[in-house]
Amino acid sequence: MPKNRRESLIYTVMMCFTMVLWMSLYNVTLQRGGMSASVIHDAWMGFPIAYLFAICCDWFLVSGLAKGFAFRYLVKPGVSSPTKTVIAVSCCMVVPMVLIMSLYGAAEACVHTGQWGSIAWIWLTNIPKNFIMALPFQLIIAGPLVRFLFRRAFPEGSIVMDTAR
């Protein structure tokens, strides 16, 4: 887990990249009914804006709320095991991000179809589909992978805060 704000920012950039790319591929595949080269193309083309939106939501809204909830109700920092803390924070991050990004996806679908009257229906039907993919992917693949790569690239203590400011 990141130890300061700089580490948190780098970790967020890496995690959002992994999750948004995977979930974009997943959602376009669901929308099209199967995987193809055009699915990969369309998911990649929609990725940059979704990625920036996800980073902003994560950094400015979700992260603080999720960690606050996890540390208040689920685990105690410094007391609970690191594994339990990681799982609790990850779960608390996935829930609001799925809600927000499912709404983003519904709005994006409405932009393409022009059927804004169906945004609520698209959003509500996307939430369970996205949740059943995002939570296991976060806990089993993305979380361990990004934590490993993060600590490999930035050993603990190698990113220090600038205390002069």
Side-chain angles (χ1 to χ4, degrees), residues 29-45:
T29 300
L30 284 179
Q31 183 183 30
R32 301 280 173 77
M35 179 61 87
S36 67
S38 69
V39 165
I40 294 169
H41 174 267
D42 291 348
W44 184 252
M45 295 309 292

Side-chain angles (χ1 to χ4, degrees), residues 92-107:
C92 289
M93 291 289 294
V94 167
V95 173
M97 287 302 289
V98 163
L99 294 173
I100 293 167
M101 294 308 292
S102 292
L103 180 58
Y104 173 88

